Amino acid sequence: MQKLISIVVVFFPLLLSAQTGLSLGKGILKIDISKLPMILFYTDTTERKPLKTVEVVKDANGEVVIKNREEIDTWFKPEQLFLEYDIFMLRVDTIKGEWLKVYINNENGKAMWTKAAASQRFIEWPKFLLKEISAIDKHPLFNLDIKALPSEKSNTIKKIESADCFEVLEIKGDWMHIKTNLKGECNESKKIIRSGWIRWNQKNKLTINYSLMA
């Protein structure tokens, strides 16, 4: 049976600080934990010696874990990290050749550089939101209008509510075509939306939360 994992993209500690969320960046870097990767983080692309390292290994029971997890957790808070569901993701801020600047701590906005590797797959935001997620819902920092068409001038159907849960049908620029998600039984809204558009990117911020299917 597949398990639905609801993931709040911007962590709650951020909501209590002056920072209102990370920059949207370029997309998501998915890490294949089955390859037991060692991810090296550098302060700059000219550095030869990494400042930080995250290594995925198997423990004595054959379980996939992060080596020295307790120490790693003091500074490493990536986009998503649920090894039990084979989920390990970093948000990519900048790409420069084979180098990717990624957020190693989504709570304080700390970013470092890492080199592209066989265990990694970069996915731009539009493709990620369309192909890699199961549902989206309301982000607490944004009160989005659901529009009839992908335009601010279009008629407003309603404002997105915390009870709403949607499927993503299409991405067109900064706009996301949605309909009420009835498959995962995550929707609690009394009003079903069969077709609507919301802005998923506003001022370089991700305006929605997303859920992953594992």
Side-chain angles (χ1 to χ4, degrees):
M1 177 182 289
Q2 287 183 316
K3 299 177 182 179
L4 183 65
I5 306 169
S6 182
I7 299 186
V8 178
V9 180
V10 179
F11 293 87
F12 283 103
L14 274 183
L15 305 182
L16 303 177
S17 69
Q19 187 177 356
T20 57
L22 299 177
S23 294
L24 181 66
K26 301 296 183 181
I28 294 294
L29 188 66
K30 292 188 71 174
I31 310 297
D32 184 354
I33 64 172
S34 70
K35 297 183 183 296
L36 302 180
M38 178 185 290
I39 310 169
L40 308 178
F41 297 107
Y42 301 80
T43 56
D44 192 81
T45 58
T46 59
E47 296 292 326
R48 293 187 178 183
K49 185 178 180 180
L51 185 65
K52 300 281 189 181
T53 301
V54 172
E55 184 176 4
V56 180
V57 299
K58 286 188 176 181
D59 64 12
N61 298 317
E63 296 292 326
V64 176
V65 298
I66 289 180
K67 187 176 180 180
N68 301 322
R69 179 66 184 266
E70 188 173 332
E71 186 277 328
I72 295 295
D73 282 346
T74 63
W75 60 267
F76 190 61
K77 303 181 188 302
E79 180 85 6
Q80 312 295 349
L81 182 57
F82 298 92
L83 296 184
E84 61 271 32
Y85 298 107
D86 298 329
I87 293 173
F88 189 173
M89 300 180 185
L90 295 156
R91 187 181 295 205
V92 179
D93 178 66
T94 308
I95 299 175
K96 184 188 295 184
E98 63 179 348
W99 290 91
L100 303 99
K101 190 175 184 180
V102 298
Y103 288 101
I104 62 168
N105 191 319
N106 280 35
E107 292 184 8
N108 62 20
K110 174 72 173 178
M112 297 188 74
W113 293 89
T114 189
K115 274 189 176 181
S119 61
Q120 304 171 359
R121 181 164 67 97
F122 170 69
I123 311 171
E124 293 183 336
W125 276 117
K127 184 177 180 181
F128 176 79
L129 294 172
L130 186 62
K131 301 292 187 180
E132 301 287 331
I133 70 173
S134 59
I136 65 102
D137 61 17
K138 186 183 187 306
H139 190 295
L141 294 181
F142 293 90
N143 294 310
L144 301 178
D145 290 332
I146 302 176
K147 297 287 189 176
L149 296 170
S151 168
E152 294 290 357
K153 296 180 180 179
S154 177
N155 292 335
T156 298
I157 298 173
K158 72 165 192 171
K159 282 194 176 291
I160 191 171
E161 303 172 21
S162 57
D164 291 325
C165 177
F166 299 107
E167 287 184 60
V168 181
L169 303 175
E170 179 185 359
I171 301 290
K172 184 178 290 187
D174 292 340
W175 290 88
M176 172 184 285
H177 190 195
I178 57 171
K179 71 174 183 179
T180 296
N181 189 321
L182 300 175
K183 296 178 182 177
E185 299 181 355
C186 61
N187 184 71
E188 297 180 0
S189 175
K190 295 180 180 179
K191 182 176 181 179
I192 294 177
I193 303 298
R194 302 193 182 280
S195 177
W197 293 83
I198 59 172
R199 288 280 300 271
W200 65 271
N201 176 10
Q202 284 189 5
K203 297 180 179 179
N204 202 34
K205 303 290 184 185
L206 188 63
T207 64
I208 48 89
N209 294 331
Y210 61 78
S211 298
L212 299 170
M213 189 71 76

